[in-house]
Each structure stands twice: as C-alpha cells, then as structure tokens.
Amino acid sequence: MVGQMDHEATLEAQTAFVVKEIAEAASLKAGRLLVIGVSTSEVAGSRIGTAGALDVAQQLLAGVESVRRAYGFDVAFQCCEHLNRALVVDRAVLERLGLTEVAAVPVRTAGGSMAAAAYRALEDACLAANVQAHAGIDIGETLIGMHMRPVAVPFRPSLRWIGEARVTAAFTRPPLIGGQRAVYSLEQEGGGSCD
C-alpha cells in the first residue's frame, strides 16, 4: 500500500495515487502495459455517457502521466463503445506490440473525453483495436476486462473513488497449468516422474 490519500484531493492527485498503487502491486515498468477506462461523466457525478468533460479528462491524464514517467510503463486509454472500445496508444507501442491499428479520431461524443484528451496529448497517437494489458484501472465502471491478459487478479486500491466515480483495478499473472504434480517455482521442485 502506498499510503493514505485525502478524499478531497484534486482529481489529478487522486488519479496519481491509484495509478502508483497499481504500478507497485503489478510491478509495472518499461515494456509493461496499463489499460485505463474512464467515464468523466461518472467522475463529475453524472451517469456514464451523459456529461463527458475534457477538463476532467485532462486532470486525470496529468495524474496518470506523472506516474507513467516515474515508472516507465506504457498506457492504453479505452474508448467508449461508440468506437468499439478501441484504445488510444502511442504509435511506438502499437508497433512494438504488433497491435492492429484502426482508424478514427476519438471525440467527447464518440470515444469519450478521456480517449479524446489522450489522443491529443500523446506525441504520435493512434488507435489499436485491442490490447492484452498487464494491469488495468477502471474509473466509473467502463468495463476494461476485455483488454486484460488472463489471469486477472482483482486489486483493491486504498482509494476506491476518484471524484464521484467508483474505481476498480486488476493486474494479471500467467495462467497456472498442470495438475497435482505441477511445480510453479524452482523452490518447489521435487522428485517424481512423468513416465
């Protein structure tokens, strides 16, 4: 746990607090990917999809970016369902991960305010059809699970709300394969045979 956060802190500070917690829990570093879904409507206290706000998105983006720079991981920002939940990423990330590019420019009313703000802030932004992220943060119940690697491990950040929006998060681990004889670390290695 990173520590305690004043629930009256700025949206930028609240976001940075939660992102730092998941970065530490998921061991995010260079080459790792964090997916973020945001309803700025929910953050502002309205129902999802009804009151998107670019100024709210910019505050959240500043909080994400401050932690991203410190840890070195990459971020994908999920668009809303009007753009089929495509993701805003930097072109270098798209190319390094071999992602499929799709064509659209997210705006507040199609893609959502967070995706629109990220698209305009990234140096060489583009949209990816999907990703398989190492960790994710969902601010406002936007449903990011389709962009997580298996197996997702729920993470309960100590700050459960950003603005008026509920925050959920998860990180992933490799699937455990095998049965009774399976060994998952060198320290567990024992006798036995598969013959």
Side-chain angles (χ1 to χ4, degrees), residues 121-146:
L122 292 176
E123 188 173 318
D124 191 7
C126 59
L127 291 185
N130 52 51
V131 299
Q132 290 285 292
H134 298 91
I137 300 172
D138 188 328
I139 304 169
E141 301 175 332
T142 64
L143 303 176
I144 61 168
M146 67 189 285

Side-chain angles (χ1 to χ4, degrees), residues 3-15:
Q4 296 302 314
M5 164 61 61
D6 176 1
H7 293 280
E8 299 301 315
T10 65
L11 295 176
E12 179 179 341
Q14 290 175 353
T15 304

Side-chain angles (χ1 to χ4, degrees), residues 94-131:
L94 179 105
E95 291 173 358
R96 188 182 83 241
L97 297 178
L99 303 174
T100 301
E101 185 174 4
V102 292
V105 173
V107 295
R108 186 183 64 77
T109 55
S113 295
M114 190 72 220
Y119 193 88
R120 284 150 185 79
L122 292 176
E123 188 173 318
D124 191 7
C126 59
L127 291 185
N130 52 51
V131 299

Side-chain angles (χ1 to χ4, degrees), residues 41-94:
S41 298
E42 292 279 338
V43 172
S46 297
R47 189 174 59 79
I48 191 169
T50 63
L54 286 170
D55 61 323
V56 169
Q58 289 164 343
Q59 293 173 66
L60 302 177
L61 185 60
V64 171
E65 182 58 17
S66 68
V67 179
R68 189 207 61 75
R69 279 192 316 267
Y71 286 77
F73 55 83
D74 296 310
V75 182
F77 295 93
Q78 179 180 268
C79 295
C80 72
E81 70 275 11
H82 296 103
L83 293 184
N84 297 324
R85 300 202 188 282
L87 302 114
V88 177
V89 296
D90 190 89
R91 183 165 302 283
V93 173
L94 179 105

